[in-house]
Amino acid sequence: METVQELIPLAKELMAQKPSAKLVRMYVLGGVLALFGAVLGLMEAVCGPFAAAGRRREREATLAELRAARGESAPREQGKPLDAVQGCRALSNRLHAS
């Protein structure tokens, strides 16, 4: 469906064919699930940046606590910047295709 205006002619065409009650229920269930998926996708797109920022702050706080417990002052491994080290760790933990 490209536009919402196509839904009304589709519904009229379906009703003209006199579908069974089970078929109508299936169409309604499919429509509700599609709408639910669209709403969830929209919420994820809107709330995603806020959640990512919160996770980043939590990760930085945890790293700071670990460094303080170890007595380290620089968060580097073999002269690599922190972003490169964290990127390597993230890739090594993700061993499956998505």
Side-chain angles (χ1 to χ4, degrees):
M1 294 282 147
E2 290 181 10
T3 61
V4 177
Q5 288 83 14
E6 293 179 10
L7 289 176
I8 294 173
L10 176 66
K12 286 181 181 178
E13 183 181 331
L14 290 175
M15 290 299 144
Q17 295 176 0
K18 305 282 189 222
S20 66
K22 289 182 181 180
L23 191 57
V24 171
R25 276 188 242 145
M26 290 300 292
Y27 282 130
V28 170
L29 177 64
V32 169
L33 290 176
L35 183 64
F36 186 64
V39 169
L40 285 178
L42 180 64
M43 287 186 62
E44 182 180 354
V46 170
C47 300
F50 300 112
R55 286 191 301 265
R56 187 180 321 121
R57 281 193 296 265
E58 290 173 4
R59 184 179 64 220
E60 289 172 356
T62 304
L63 287 173
E65 289 175 8
L66 289 173
R67 275 189 234 114
R70 288 183 181 174
E72 295 178 4
S73 60
R76 303 186 190 281
E77 290 181 7
Q78 302 171 356
K80 294 182 181 178
L82 179 61
D83 294 334
V85 171
Q86 289 176 346
C88 292
R89 289 181 183 157
L91 290 176
S92 65
N93 290 336
R94 188 169 194 174
L95 301 175
H96 59 85
S98 56

